[in-house]
Amino acid sequence: MMGMRIRWVIGVLMFLAGMINYLDRSALGVAAPLIRQDLHLDASQLGIVFSSFSFGYALFCFVGGYASDRFGPRNVMGISMVAWSIFCGLTAAIWSVSSLLIVRILFGMGEGPIGSTFNKTVRNWFPHGQQASAVSIANAGTPLGAAVSGPVVGLLALSFGWRPAFVIIAAIGIVWVVAWYVIATDKPSENPRVSAQERAELEAGYKTQPKSTGVRQPLGPLIMRPAILATAFAFFGYSCILFFFLTWFPTYLVTARHMSMADMSFATIIPWTVGFIGLLVGGPVCDLIFKMTGNPILARKLVLVVCLLVAAGCIGFAGMADTVFSALALMTVSVFFMYMTGNTYWAIILDTIEEDRVGGVSGFVHFVANCGGIVAPLATGFIVQATGGFFGAFVATGAIAVLGALGVAVFVRAPASLPRPVFQAARG
């Protein structure tokens, strides 16, 4: 680690955590055709199974964010990884629909704190002008983990049955926890590896953000700010696209487009890999616009609104595609632009919320977002069951994302505590 800023080492650890997170999370979607056959599930039952994860996940997004403010992101992240790894492994032991639902809810509870804990860690460890980039890097591992999940889980399932895959990928998370506790701390001031130069960089970079007032503010008024509610709903639209793709798209390729399990496992690598690129570049684009304009809110809004509208349009057109190639191509473009917005929701919170409440507000926004993980898979299951096709689900998912983008365009504004001149002073 000599010569490297410790904050970027922690950024790499968060990247790997995100990769493990989605490797574990997307395993069920990849193995779903086989699990559905073993447990004799119809489309609506499978939709309930997919949604069950988000019941636990959404609630613990909020719980995890609150806990990271109170107890620090280091322990919250470590405990979270241990918990979800255990329940990922226990998926191999399920014997019925009921047992699968219970395991998926508990698995979701374990994963819930990751997003808000990442955001709290970024707020503690990165200067303002690098925070969107840091959020992008931390979360860029998620689509890469999902891309790896397709061939890994698919080939393991075809070779040995679907159960062994869940045990193997669960073990990876425990290894990560050891590295996290060796390297990470809640704040730079607690880490002996932080140099005086890096400490000075961090102090200079915190000056353009809302500070703690010294009096702990009630969480309720903060989360009811129009900018936060609009951001939360836009994130909900993002999650509807994400969870539709994560849960139902592999089954759509197999059942509606008649792809084999092997072909599907490799076909899904393409959009996930492109999504990884979108998430990786979205943050630097935001930070570049911030440096050019001196206005972080404008930078976040521009990327979020434009890219989420493009993502929504593409998923809507994917539902009308005539061929499997065009459907996959449109979905790939949708996933790229969806992930381009992935840093912006978190960055708006960092730009507008006082430092001692970043975790709690992040948890609330992530909670609302992941209600999309309940709604999208469940609604898709019932739409497919009722209509016999996926068209309505594609269009409904895109329409929700459009409404989210428009909400941000109208309601997200710069906080009164940080007027324009302060933003301008941050350009250098």
Side-chain angles (χ1 to χ4, degrees):
M1 298 178 201
M2 294 298 292
M4 178 182 287
R5 299 291 189 266
I6 299 303
R7 63 180 181 269
W8 293 112
V9 177
I10 291 175
V12 170
L13 282 174
M14 289 192 290
F15 171 88
L16 293 174
M19 188 173 178
I20 295 167
N21 181 273
Y22 264 61
L23 174 63
D24 293 1
R25 189 187 305 189
S26 60
L28 186 73
V30 175
L34 298 177
I35 297 174
R36 183 179 182 182
Q37 183 178 4
D38 280 359
L39 299 182
H40 308 292
L41 305 178
D42 62 27
S44 59
Q45 288 175 317
L46 187 59
I48 293 170
V49 168
F50 284 147
S51 291
S52 64
F53 164 86
S54 291
F55 279 98
Y57 186 79
L59 175 62
F60 271 72
C61 290
F62 201 5
V63 172
Y66 180 83
S68 69
D69 280 336
R70 293 296 300 270
F71 307 113
R74 180 175 182 255
N75 282 330
V76 174
M77 189 64 233
I79 293 168
S80 176
M81 177 73 84
V82 170
W84 95 57
S85 297
I86 290 171
F87 289 111
C88 177
L90 285 176
T91 306
I94 63 101
W95 65 91
S96 65
V97 176
S98 298
S99 63
L100 179 56
L101 288 172
I102 292 170
V103 168
R104 290 299 289 181
I105 291 171
L106 294 171
F107 173 66
M109 290 167 64
E111 287 202 348
I114 184 172
S116 51
T117 305
F118 273 7
N119 216 33
K120 183 71 174 182
T121 303
V122 168
R123 177 60 179 84
N124 288 353
W125 273 93
F126 288 84
H128 196 185
Q130 294 179 350
Q131 285 175 356
S133 297
V135 171
S136 283
I137 290 170
N139 288 290
T142 59
L144 200 58
V148 171
S149 181
V152 169
V153 178
L155 293 177
L156 280 173
L158 290 172
S159 300
F160 307 107
W162 56 268
R163 296 179 190 270
F166 289 91
V167 177
I168 294 169
I169 61 178
I172 299 172
I174 304 302
V175 175
W176 180 91
V177 170
V178 175
W180 177 251
Y181 274 106
V182 168
I183 296 171
T185 56
D186 287 330
K187 296 181 179 180
S189 59
E190 300 167 357
N191 197 311
R193 299 180 181 87
V194 177
S195 66
Q197 181 181 356
E198 183 171 13
R199 202 178 306 277
E201 292 172 358
L202 294 171
E203 289 299 324
Y206 294 150
K207 292 179 180 178
T208 57
Q209 288 181 278
K211 305 294 189 297
S212 171
T213 61
V215 178
R216 193 170 184 82
Q217 298 188 64
L219 195 56
L222 296 178
I223 63 178
M224 293 305 294
R225 290 178 180 176
I228 296 302
L229 293 176
T231 301
F233 185 71
F235 210 172
F236 176 88
Y238 166 104
S239 289
C240 285
I241 296 176
L242 173 62
F243 278 90
F244 173 81
F245 179 68
L246 181 70
T247 58
W248 275 105
F249 196 65
T251 298
Y252 163 79
L253 292 176
V254 172
T255 60
R257 295 297 182 175
H258 310 295
M259 294 185 74
S260 68
M261 270 289 294
D263 288 344
M264 177 273 290
S265 296
F266 283 96
T268 54
I269 295 175
I270 300 168
W272 283 121
T273 303
V274 171
F276 161 72
I277 297 170
L279 191 48
L280 198 61
V281 303
V285 168
C286 257
D287 283 337
L288 178 61
I289 297 172
F290 175 12
K291 290 175 182 178
M292 292 172 62
T293 64
N295 189 333
I297 298 297
L298 174 64
R300 313 325 183 197
K301 285 179 63 174
L302 189 61
V303 173
L304 192 159
V305 173
V306 171
C307 293
L308 193 58
L309 287 174
V310 173
C314 287
I315 195 171
F317 284 115
M320 297 180 279
D322 294 327
T323 66
V324 66
F325 174 80
S326 57
L328 190 61
L330 284 164
M331 202 68 202
T332 299
V333 176
S334 180
V335 169
F336 173 81
F337 281 99
M338 175 200 76
Y339 269 123
M340 276 282 289
T341 73
N343 73 87
T344 57
Y345 314 96
W346 305 109
I348 288 170
I349 297 168
L350 294 172
D351 294 335
T352 60
I353 296 298
E354 291 75 6
E355 62 182 319
D356 58 342
R357 281 302 196 180
V358 163
V361 175
S362 297
F364 168 76
V365 171
H366 206 205
F367 161 75
V368 174
N370 281 281
C371 289
I374 299 171
V375 172
L378 193 60
T380 298
F382 284 109
I383 289 171
V384 172
Q385 186 76 9
T387 67
F390 284 83
F391 172 74
F394 278 97
V395 173
T397 302
I400 292 170
V402 168
L403 292 176
L406 296 178
V408 168
V410 173
F411 292 108
V412 173
R413 296 285 186 269
S417 59
L418 284 179
R420 176 87 182 172
V422 176
F423 288 151
Q424 293 288 359
R427 278 196 205 187

